[in-house]
Amino acid sequence: MDASTTVLDVRGLSAGYAGNQVLDGVSFKLERGEVITLLGRNGAGKSTTLKCLMGFITEKTGGIAFEGVPVAHCLPEQIAKLGMAYCPEERGIFSQLNVLENLTLPPVLREGGLTLDEVYALFPNLRERSASQGTKLSGGEQQMLAIGRILRTGAKCLLLDEPSEGLAPVIVKLIAQTVLELKRRGFTILLVEQNLRFATELADRHYVMETGRVVDMLTRDDMQKDSARVEAYLGIRHA
């Protein structure tokens, strides 16, 4: 693709915590309007990659360009203002705030974000629970709130860490429908996932990670023709 369509260009990214290396030369690209996934076993470095992209990890080397702007050494707030947003695995709901307060807490940083009514249209449960405290929500409602919160900021590139984890199948289906709707609206989405079926239904391309490296890339067609290829990486066995 033309360079102008590249939203994220990650080259040779290495990173760690307190001197312990977690990522070792990670490279991949994310094109405008794509949904791509980072797949791999626990400890492969997937979540660390997202944290590096958002500027939360400073102990790193390599290149990260967002919309053509080098951001490897930028602060999280600078990256957010450029149009990237991060939804963490732990969701980060403020327990002492109600749903409406959680939704409206992050500032609007750019034009084009969803209005409160648009967020409620995506997640009707949140409108019904708008006065409920964050701790009173189910796991699925907390995930809806975590995603809905970043949609107001104006970000068009979303980093979603394990959005289906621990959720009932009906809620996983709702989250999948939401991701597809956001793609239809022009969002670019990078998913970290363990749920292979969920990832396969959504993503245009899949990058497989092992021990801090990207070891393979599969297109949607590759996954349909040869799912055993990625299942082998993930250690999935069939009875």
Side-chain angles (χ1 to χ4, degrees), residues 76-77 81 112 172 218:
E77 54 265 36
K81 288 177 181 177
V172 172
L218 298 90

Side-chain angles (χ1 to χ4, degrees), residues 149-162:
R149 186 171 55 187
I150 62 175
L151 296 177
R152 293 185 56 260
T153 65
K156 282 297 185 178
C157 179
L158 309 180
L159 312 180
L160 308 182
D161 195 352
E162 300 277 10

Side-chain angles (χ1 to χ4, degrees), residues 120-142:
Y120 282 151
L122 279 176
F123 301 118
N125 287 40
L126 297 184
R127 186 190 295 273
E128 298 169 7
R129 304 295 304 274
S130 62
S132 299
Q133 279 186 298
T135 51
K136 303 295 184 183
L137 302 181
S138 68
E141 288 168 337
Q142 288 187 27

Side-chain angles (χ1 to χ4, degrees), residues 5-11 28-32 36 50 53-54 64-69 71 79 84 157-159 188-190 205 207:
T5 70
T6 301
V7 173
L8 265 173
D9 187 357
V10 181
R11 299 189 182 188
F28 63 89
K29 288 187 178 183
L30 176 58
E31 308 294 345
R32 193 176 317 282
I36 74 168
L50 294 194
L53 297 179
M54 201 65 213
I64 304 170
F66 177 59
E67 300 278 12
V69 178
V71 297
I79 295 170
M84 193 189 304
C157 179
L158 309 180
L159 312 180
T188 303
I189 301 171
L190 175 57
R205 292 184 296 122
Y207 288 95

Side-chain angles (χ1 to χ4, degrees), residues 2-179:
D2 188 270
S4 63
T5 70
T6 301
V7 173
L8 265 173
D9 187 357
V10 181
R11 299 189 182 188
L13 179 63
S14 296
Y17 305 93
N20 296 314
Q21 189 170 29
V22 178
L23 303 183
D24 183 14
V26 170
S27 297
F28 63 89
K29 288 187 178 183
L30 176 58
E31 308 294 345
R32 193 176 317 282
E34 275 193 314
V35 176
I36 74 168
T37 60
L38 297 181
L39 300 173
R41 303 188 195 195
N42 287 334
K46 306 182 302 297
S47 295
T48 298
T49 300
L50 294 194
K51 291 174 183 177
C52 282
L53 297 179
M54 201 65 213
F56 293 124
I57 296 176
T58 57
E59 190 179 322
K60 60 182 181 287
T61 59
I64 304 170
F66 177 59
E67 300 278 12
V69 178
V71 297
H73 303 293
C74 289
L75 298 172
E77 54 265 36
Q78 294 172 315
I79 295 170
K81 288 177 181 177
L82 291 173
M84 193 189 304
Y86 169 64
C87 183
E89 181 181 359
E90 61 273 14
R91 298 166 187 154
I93 304 303
F94 290 93
S95 61
Q96 299 305 311
L97 303 181
N98 64 30
V99 167
L100 178 59
E101 290 166 338
N102 267 283
L103 279 174
T104 55
L105 182 63
V108 175
L109 300 174
R110 297 164 58 90
E111 293 183 359
L114 271 60
T115 66
L116 192 58
D117 283 340
E118 287 175 319
V119 173
Y120 282 151
L122 279 176
F123 301 118
N125 287 40
L126 297 184
R127 186 190 295 273
E128 298 169 7
R129 304 295 304 274
S130 62
S132 299
Q133 279 186 298
T135 51
K136 303 295 184 183
L137 302 181
S138 68
E141 288 168 337
Q142 288 187 27
Q143 186 63 70
M144 295 175 202
L145 178 54
I147 296 174
R149 186 171 55 187
I150 62 175
L151 296 177
R152 293 185 56 260
T153 65
K156 282 297 185 178
C157 179
L158 309 180
L159 312 180
L160 308 182
D161 195 352
E162 300 277 10
S164 73
E165 184 181 24
L167 303 183
V170 65
I171 303 299
V172 172
K173 184 176 181 180
L174 174 61
I175 299 298
Q177 291 170 344
T178 301
V179 170

